[in-house]
Amino acid sequence: MPTVEELYRNYGILADATETAGQHKDAYQAILDGVKGGAKEKRLAAQFIPKFFKHFPELADSAINAQLDLCEDEDVSIRRQAIKELPQFATGDNLPRVADILTQLLQSDDSAEFNLVNNALLSIFKMDAKGTLGGLFSQILQGEDIVRERAIKFLSTKLKTLPEEVMTKEVEEFILTESKKVLEDVTGEEFVLFMKILSGLKSLQTVSGRQQLVELVAEQADLEQMFNPSDPDCVDRLLQCTRQAVPLFSKNVHSTKFVTYFCEHVLPNLSSLTTPVEGLDIQLEVLKLLAEMSSFCGDMEKLESNLKKLFDKLLEYMPLPPEEAENGENAGNEEPKLQFSYVECLLYSFHQLGRKLPDFLTAKLNAEKLKDFKIRLQYFARGLQVYIRQLRLALQGKTGDALKTEENKIKVVALKITNNINVLIKDLFHIPPSYKSTVTLSWKPVQKADASQKRASEDTTSSSPPKKASAGPKRDARQIYNPPSGKYSSNLGSFSYEQRGGFRGGRGRGWGGRGNRSRGRIY
């Protein structure tokens, strides 16, 4: 084993030889042997090996392996020095291997070391993006779970920081191709991260790009399979996938496949849905997603049939007025509960799809059925007016900080819900029913007048990513507004959902792991 003095002497020989350093193989071999010495010798070897690496292609494997030994040294300062120099080995055919090595080193729990690995990966990314991605995806597909997890997070956070000259169209196509392989077997959390990665690619900002992403999500959601409402994983997977799809829909990228699936398979089973997420109002969650998607539904094959399913579900939440006794008093003990949050979603969805078949209420329903619906609408509208007056009175004169209290924020949302329902009911009371009014769903931000034009232009020209897929909007604890008790006493929910954890079970859709993988270094 060479001493510190011998290492410096051999360094001098190679440095003085400049471009003819390759003729002094023995000197370089002595430096490689430095990795077997003490801490001082190793520290010098970590710097000297990469410096002259390019002059000795025949010793490339030996040099890289020697540097890797230093990357695994017990002395953290030696490891850091060795990792810092790794990009110097990323030349030609060696680059994918170096990328693979660096990806494995992401499992480090030392923060300084971890940051060095990140910087080294970014450094070689700028030399050869496809080669670096090859190393990353190799480990995502075949590596240890911790390496896979950190490699995916690296891609989801770092790709967007790279300049356009690095993220070329060819590179983005490579990312899409490799991501499709990974998406064959992912957890829910991994799926959300990959949607974040893919939706940030410039080449997928176009209408056709967004359409590709929607198709990817639809495939992940298994919309061709039968829906099992009693399987929490099945329900969770559908909701997670739908949340990822919602921000991608527009007037040019239709939600038809998802809306159809919800109408045909989910709505009829709404009351039997189960969820692994504690405290989640799963029925309201589903109805909110359906409402958001209904605005962008294209031509539907079984429109009348699905509109009927939606109508029937709406009726379940639109009670008939209670029968009155001969003395005019309520014959029953309790007034029906008015589920405003549910009705807002269902009425909005019906209103959106009803535009596509405007004679549904007049031509497709018999006269008795239409009369029954009008009675339900009228009864609900009376209850609405009571609450709207109470809410306006409660909020009257309140501005600024006064409106920011939890109680008043809930009342503001409740007022939005009741006003929305009121507008939609008025439309349906027209003769014939009208579908012209527009409302903003209570949990969505109010759109500015030019927002639709802006969205349309983004579909074809934007170079910025679409809104982050709902790994979802953040959710405060569920809040329910309890109006004062009385004839129309009920609850108004202001629940807003959030993205939840994985699809549970094994990778991807909960169906088993990805096979056994070797342990230890697989450089």
Side-chain angles (χ1 to χ4, degrees), residues 274-516:
T274 53
T275 174
V277 182
E278 189 178 347
L280 177 67
D281 185 339
I282 188 68
Q283 296 182 42
L284 183 56
E285 171 84 339
V286 164
L287 295 179
K288 282 187 168 190
L289 288 170
L290 176 59
E292 288 192 58
M293 293 190 292
S294 64
S295 307
F296 304 112
C297 186
D299 295 332
M300 187 182 283
E301 197 173 315
K302 299 177 183 176
L303 177 59
E304 184 179 338
S305 168
N306 288 327
L307 202 52
K308 177 73 166 52
K309 288 184 175 70
L310 189 53
F311 178 76
D312 289 344
K313 185 56 64 175
L314 174 62
L315 288 186
E316 290 181 26
Y317 294 94
M318 304 277 297
L320 284 165
E323 293 181 9
E324 293 187 351
E326 290 181 6
N327 60 2
E329 293 295 320
N330 184 358
N333 294 325
E334 281 191 27
E335 293 289 338
K337 291 282 188 183
L338 303 185
Q339 302 277 4
F340 291 110
S341 295
Y342 285 49
V343 169
E344 179 196 17
C345 299
L346 285 163
L347 203 54
Y348 182 89
S349 300
F350 179 77
H351 193 265
Q352 292 295 317
L353 296 187
R355 291 174 179 174
K356 300 178 181 298
L357 193 63
D359 65 346
F360 175 81
L361 289 174
T362 52
K364 308 299 180 183
L365 293 181
N366 60 44
E368 197 60 38
K369 195 87 171 173
L370 180 59
K371 180 183 176 183
D372 172 86
F373 184 51
K374 288 285 181 80
I375 291 172
R376 292 171 189 267
L377 284 177
Q378 194 169 35
Y379 176 66
F380 210 96
R382 284 166 55 202
L384 273 179
Q385 298 309 317
V386 172
Y387 288 134
I388 289 173
R389 282 196 299 271
Q390 289 175 340
L391 289 165
R392 284 179 175 161
L393 190 63
L395 294 169
Q396 190 173 4
K398 291 184 172 62
T399 57
D401 291 340
L403 289 175
K404 293 178 182 177
T405 66
E406 286 305 307
E407 183 182 355
N408 284 333
K409 281 197 283 190
I410 294 170
K411 288 177 180 175
V412 168
V413 173
L415 187 57
K416 286 181 184 177
I417 293 171
T418 47
N419 278 332
N420 283 347
I421 298 173
N422 196 39
V423 170
L424 297 174
I425 285 178
K426 282 181 179 177
D427 250 17
L428 297 180
F429 259 121
H430 279 104
I431 302 177
S434 168
Y435 299 92
K436 293 180 181 178
S437 295
T438 58
V439 298
T440 300
L441 290 164
S442 60
W443 62 92
K444 303 288 285 181
V446 177
Q447 300 293 311
K448 293 182 181 177
D450 62 346
S452 59
Q453 288 97 338
K454 182 180 177 185
R455 177 61 185 269
S457 66
E458 278 180 355
D459 276 340
T460 53
T461 63
S462 173
S463 61
S464 61
K467 286 183 183 177
K468 181 181 175 182
S470 284
K474 290 187 178 177
R475 170 166 82 93
D476 297 326
R478 186 181 176 205
Q479 300 168 327
I480 298 292
Y481 168 62
N482 294 304
S485 59
K487 187 167 184 180
Y488 298 103
S489 181
S490 181
N491 293 330
L492 285 89
S494 62
F495 175 91
S496 64
Y497 55 80
E498 69 172 336
Q499 178 59 54
R500 292 293 181 166
F503 289 161
R504 310 175 91 77
R507 278 244 160 76
R509 307 165 190 169
W511 303 307
R514 296 180 293 113
N516 295 322

Side-chain angles (χ1 to χ4, degrees), residues 17-203:
T18 59
E19 292 306 312
T20 61
Q23 297 174 12
H24 301 279
K25 187 175 178 180
D26 290 345
Y28 192 60
Q29 184 61 59
I31 289 174
L32 295 183
D33 292 339
V35 301
K36 301 168 186 174
K40 291 180 181 177
E41 288 80 7
K42 289 178 179 178
R43 216 167 275 122
L44 288 175
Q47 299 172 61
F48 295 170
I49 293 172
K51 186 170 181 65
F52 301 105
F53 174 74
K54 65 180 181 180
H55 296 292
F56 300 95
E58 71 279 14
L59 292 175
D61 281 347
S62 297
I64 292 174
N65 286 331
Q67 194 77 4
L68 291 181
D69 286 338
L70 298 175
C71 289
E72 295 181 334
D73 197 84
E74 291 181 0
D75 187 327
V76 67
S77 65
I78 293 172
R79 291 203 307 271
R80 291 175 185 173
Q81 182 65 47
I83 291 168
K84 184 180 178 182
E85 304 295 345
L86 272 178
Q88 294 193 56
F89 295 87
T91 56
D93 295 338
N94 295 315
L95 189 138
R97 184 183 175 193
V98 173
D100 193 283
I101 292 163
L102 284 167
T103 305
Q104 291 183 62
L105 291 171
L106 283 170
Q107 64 188 295
S108 172
D109 291 323
D110 179 88
S111 59
E113 201 171 310
F114 181 76
N115 288 335
L116 282 172
V117 174
N118 273 267
N119 291 336
L121 273 169
L122 287 173
S123 174
I124 65 170
F125 231 114
K126 291 166 186 175
M127 299 178 200
D128 179 356
K130 278 183 72 176
T132 307
L133 286 165
L136 281 157
F137 275 104
S138 170
Q139 285 299 315
I140 289 171
L141 288 165
Q142 300 169 9
E144 298 293 325
D145 287 346
I146 183 65
V147 174
R148 175 186 171 99
E149 177 189 332
R150 292 188 180 179
I152 293 172
K153 285 184 179 175
F154 175 87
L155 290 175
S156 70
T157 56
K158 302 299 182 183
L159 285 184
K160 61 188 176 186
T161 68
L162 295 168
E164 284 187 22
E165 56 266 26
V166 173
M167 295 294 289
T168 62
K169 185 178 180 182
E170 184 184 7
V171 168
E172 292 196 345
E173 286 173 354
F174 182 79
I175 292 170
L176 178 60
T177 301
E178 294 301 303
S179 295
K180 286 179 179 178
K181 295 177 188 175
V182 180
L183 288 173
E184 291 175 9
D185 187 12
V186 288
T187 65
E189 185 179 355
E190 289 172 344
F191 174 63
V192 170
L193 287 173
F194 267 100
M195 287 306 299
K196 177 183 175 185
I197 291 166
L198 295 176
S199 61
L201 300 180
K202 185 179 179 182
S203 58

